Amino acid sequence: DEGGPDSSDNAKGANKKFNGGKADEKEDELLALASKQRMNTDLRRSIFCVVMGGTDVDDAFEKLVRGNMLRGKAERDAVRVLMDCC
């Protein structure tokens, strides 16, 4: 455990705001992309899905804050994920 929230639930919950029935499809695409980018923990995959699935910077930030993904060790993982996304 990375000390963060159960990211499989967070990744799914954070991406439910997509329109229509495409939410699950988009979510699956993001999770597959996260795995391809070697996001090797549930927390990192969750952070990746939130960042890449956000409509803009503010949306992604709000989701990270609401998901408690910017506290403790999760904050370090968030920085690592952001660096990998750049």
Side-chain angles (χ1 to χ4, degrees), residues 9 11 13 16-17 31 35 37 39 47 52 56 58 60-62 68 72-74 77 81-82 84:
D9 291 339
K16 285 185 179 177
K17 292 192 176 190
L31 287 172
S35 294
Q37 296 291 321
M39 300 296 157
I47 292 168
M52 299 305 287
D56 61 11
D58 293 327
F61 176 73
E62 287 296 320
N68 290 324
K73 189 172 181 182
D77 281 336
V81 170
L82 288 170
D84 285 339

Side-chain angles (χ1 to χ4, degrees), residues 27-75:
E27 183 178 313
D28 290 341
E29 289 176 15
L30 285 172
L31 287 172
L33 187 58
S35 294
K36 188 175 179 180
Q37 296 291 321
R38 297 185 316 247
M39 300 296 157
N40 56 356
T41 65
D42 287 340
L43 180 59
R44 287 184 186 176
R45 280 188 292 272
S46 180
I47 292 168
F48 180 87
C49 289
V50 168
V51 170
M52 299 305 287
T55 56
D56 61 11
V57 174
D58 293 327
D59 180 52
F61 176 73
E62 287 296 320
K63 288 178 183 179
L64 289 171
V65 170
R66 278 189 262 130
N68 290 324
M69 294 182 210
L70 296 177
R71 294 181 186 215
K73 189 172 181 182
E75 184 177 22

